[in-house]
Amino acid sequence: SAFFGITPEPHFTLPPRATSLSDLWARRWNLTVSALLRDLVYQPVVEGRVYPQNGKPEAAKPQDPQQTQRHDSASSLEEEKGGSCKGAGKQDCREQPRDAGQGSRSVRPSRARKMLGSTATFLFSGVWHELVFAQIAFKPDKVAPSQAGVLGLLQAIWANVHTTRGLWTIFFLIQAPAIALEGFLASQAASKNIRTPRWLAMLATNVFFLTMTCLFWMPPMFWELSPPLLASSHDVASAGGTSMLGQLIRQTKQDTARLGSWARQAASYFT
């Protein structure tokens, strides 16, 4: 990337230094996916593009007559000089500011809508990770239908599908109310002029995150998966078991050996 003059954005930005859960998820953890989910899920929900708001738009504020008159005078003077859009392209005209008398009709999202957006975002992420877990654990070549037909095939596939039983989804769903509670406590502390030391905020954030990880994220990694996922008992022994963690260790060993083979082949061309 440096050769082409491209500076890639970091994927993680020192997560252990997060002083809050909102800081962790918004600015430090998996920034690529965070930006994607913000545009695809959070913003459409909060802005009412998915679930319309019942609230009325804010009424335009009355304009000061003198301010409107000054704006009209400036517009007239601009037209006398040729106009800002006269002879300009459409893009230049679109970039001109609106008339001050038009006003803005925007709807400010409520706390409930922000909570709904956060919950939808974390729910989407949880389901996404459940599908990733199922895809890693699923081996289509081990599917053997017990009976002919589409129904038998679906039953065989379902019998070989492994999920976290919802634990990874729960892990993500807990984050939304935790962030809301965190914001409420922060506002209460600010109203009473109470400042939390940075080291204490970092400690509390890391303790909560690691606790949720140990309770909901790690257990599925050690669950024993069905034996058909591995080819033989030798594979089970070399992988350290039939757990998801064993599968990942086995896959890592295979990938490392494959990269080593490619490196030796590449080196042989220069020797």
Side-chain angles (χ1 to χ4, degrees):
S1 59
F3 178 78
F4 294 100
I6 300 175
T7 303
E9 295 184 359
H11 196 55
F12 292 87
T13 308
L14 299 175
R17 293 190 179 182
T19 56
S20 64
L21 291 175
S22 57
D23 179 32
L24 174 69
W25 291 110
R27 292 180 287 274
R28 296 184 180 275
W29 188 272
N30 208 347
L31 301 181
T32 303
V33 176
S34 297
L36 179 65
L37 294 182
R38 186 184 304 113
D39 293 337
L40 294 181
V41 183
Y42 182 79
Q43 291 293 349
V45 173
V46 172
E47 294 175 359
R49 285 180 280 163
V50 174
Y51 183 75
Q53 297 196 73
N54 295 326
K56 297 181 180 180
E58 298 178 357
K61 297 181 179 180
Q63 298 296 324
D64 186 1
Q66 296 181 356
Q67 182 180 0
T68 305
Q69 184 177 2
R70 286 195 300 268
H71 177 78
D72 295 339
S73 300
S75 300
S76 301
L77 181 60
E78 196 171 318
E79 291 177 359
E80 291 177 0
K81 292 183 179 180
S84 58
C85 285
K86 185 179 292 184
K90 294 182 179 180
Q91 181 67 25
D92 297 332
C93 294
R94 286 198 299 265
E95 292 177 354
Q96 296 299 322
R98 298 181 184 179
D99 193 322
Q102 291 180 356
S104 175
R105 292 181 174 270
S106 60
V107 179
R108 184 176 182 179
S110 61
R111 292 183 179 179
R113 180 162 290 273
K114 291 181 179 180
M115 181 66 182
L116 179 62
S118 298
T119 303
T121 303
F122 283 111
L123 176 61
F124 186 93
S125 182
V127 174
W128 184 354
H129 283 81
E130 293 281 357
L131 294 176
V132 170
F133 184 96
Q135 189 276 331
I136 295 175
F138 180 69
K139 300 295 182 182
D141 56 329
K142 303 300 178 183
V143 174
S146 57
Q147 57 183 5
V150 178
L151 182 59
L153 178 61
L154 293 178
Q155 289 177 350
I157 293 175
W158 179 254
N160 286 273
V161 170
H162 298 269
T163 67
T164 68
R165 302 173 190 173
L167 287 183
W168 282 9
T169 302
I170 294 174
F171 169 82
F172 284 102
L173 284 178
I174 288 177
Q175 308 300 322
I179 291 175
L181 178 60
E182 179 185 71
F184 173 77
L185 295 177
S187 62
Q188 293 296 316
S191 63
K192 298 180 180 179
N193 295 325
I194 300 176
R195 298 188 60 182
T196 305
R198 182 178 177 83
W199 67 267
L200 182 58
M202 292 173 57
L203 178 62
T205 302
N206 282 273
V207 167
F208 177 84
F209 184 76
L210 292 177
T211 301
M212 295 298 102
T213 300
C214 293
L215 291 177
F216 299 103
W217 188 267
M218 294 306 298
M221 302 292 289
F222 295 96
W223 286 348
E224 294 297 316
L225 303 178
S226 60
L229 291 176
L230 298 176
S232 64
S233 58
H234 174 72
D235 293 334
V236 175
S238 62
T242 59
S243 65
M244 174 60 66
L245 185 60
Q247 290 276 32
L248 294 177
I249 293 174
R250 176 171 173 263
Q251 187 65 41
T252 302
K253 289 181 179 180
Q254 292 178 353
D255 294 341
T256 303
R258 189 178 296 109
L259 288 176
S261 176
W262 291 345
R264 287 190 296 270
Q265 292 178 5
S268 64
Y269 290 105
F270 299 96
T271 57

